[in-house]
Amino acid sequence: MTSATSPIASPIASPISQDELKTRVGQAALTYVVPGQIVGVGTGSTVNKFIDALATIKDQIPGAVSSSVASTERLLALGIPVLDANAVTELAVYIDGADEIDHHGFMVKGGGAALTSEKIVASLAKQFVCIADESKWVSTLGEFPLPVEVLPMATAQVMRQFEALGGQASVRLKEGAPLVTDNGQHIVDVRGLKIEDPLDFEREVNQWAGVVTVGVFARQKAQVCLLGTPSGVKTLVF
Ligand code: 5RP
């Protein structure tokens, strides 16, 4: 399938687990890995399936540029070299999951708190291939709480700004304390937003003082989505 409209044929509950759908899209993404070229690698449970699959062809690639400490550790444990993003001028492909993806290839990301590095690695890539199970497909972004990486001293002000837009903002916690990202910052999650114009929204929020990265990926959108459904992996091209 190459159309980006209505990829989900049936509302009937999937007999295939979400974990299995993630495995299938992770394996399907191998098709986009270019032999002899470094691959950009995202973060999350779906990407973990991709990393496991990538290990089976690791002799064909020089290595990967990783978007998080967690992915780096998994890549290295499987014998896949990890290169510094600064050592790379361009990547053929970046493969990552999403918390939401729409029919333009616009995404919400950052459920795993790695959004800043994900955006950096995505910006190096000629092509963003999103791997996702069908639960991530939405008509309008905003159902999933929007992650925003923020400097700790700015969190209260950024939360007030989101509340002025009609959102409900909270600082993400881990074991009772604010979660600290790989970059030493905090995450504000915003519920209740309907993001009708992702490009404009991303541009606007990125200018707020103290915002490191907003989890809307509109400039760094996906060109391809491999969507796991009970009837197979659908290839959506945007
Ligand atoms: C991490 C991300 C992930 O790609 C997103 O949260 C999806 O994760 P999963 O594959 O575990 O559902 O943006 O920051």
Side-chain angles (χ1 to χ4, degrees):
M1 174 170 180
T2 53
S3 147
T5 53
S6 303
I8 300 166
S10 160
I12 297 168
S14 168
I16 302 170
S17 71
Q18 192 181 33
D19 191 66
E20 177 58 23
L21 294 178
K22 290 180 182 190
T23 300
R24 291 183 186 185
V25 294
Q27 288 171 344
L30 289 184
T31 319
Y32 290 84
V33 175
V34 182
Q37 297 217 14
I38 300 159
V39 59
V41 174
T43 299
S45 58
T46 316
V47 164
N48 284 345
K49 307 288 193 179
F50 167 66
I51 295 173
D52 294 349
L54 190 63
T56 67
I57 59 159
K58 64 183 176 193
D59 295 341
Q60 296 178 30
I61 55 162
V65 173
S66 168
S67 61
S68 64
V69 171
S71 289
T72 296
E73 286 173 353
R74 196 176 188 96
L75 286 158
L76 292 176
L78 290 168
I80 301 168
V82 175
L83 292 94
D84 191 313
N86 287 305
V88 171
T89 49
E90 190 175 81
L91 295 166
V93 66
Y94 175 65
I95 294 172
D96 198 359
D99 299 302
E100 291 185 330
I101 181 162
D102 74 6
H103 63 285
H104 294 292
F106 296 145
M107 296 167 286
V108 163
K109 291 182 44 54
L115 62 166
T116 299
S117 300
E118 291 172 342
K119 222 173 243 196
I120 293 167
V121 186
S123 75
L124 288 167
K126 284 199 281 189
Q127 187 178 41
F128 188 136
V129 175
C130 176
I131 49 175
D133 65 86
E134 62 180 358
S135 70
K136 309 297 181 64
W137 183 260
V138 297
S139 52
T140 307
L141 301 180
E143 197 70 32
F144 186 89
L146 174 69
V148 187
E149 187 162 6
V150 181
L151 268 69
M153 72 173 288
T155 51
Q157 171 67 351
V158 167
M159 284 164 56
R160 281 190 289 271
Q161 286 175 276
F162 277 118
E163 274 152 26
L165 294 182
Q168 299 92 50
S170 56
V171 175
R172 193 180 302 180
L173 301 178
K174 186 178 177 188
E175 292 159 11
L179 177 146
V180 178
T181 68
D182 288 352
N183 310 309
Q185 312 303 334
H186 289 173
I187 297 284
V188 168
D189 289 307
V190 191
R191 290 167 176 75
L193 296 174
K194 211 168 175 199
I195 304 166
E196 307 275 8
D197 186 342
L199 275 165
D200 185 59
F201 185 93
E202 181 182 32
R203 196 180 304 117
E204 166 67 22
V205 176
N206 268 338
Q207 292 179 42
W208 294 358
V211 168
V212 178
T213 304
V214 59
V216 170
F217 281 54
R219 292 194 65 195
Q220 262 77 49
K221 77 181 193 82
Q223 279 75 47
V224 175
C225 176
L226 302 177
L227 194 72
T229 80
S231 53
V233 175
K234 313 271 184 195
T235 302
L236 311 174
V237 180
F238 307 104

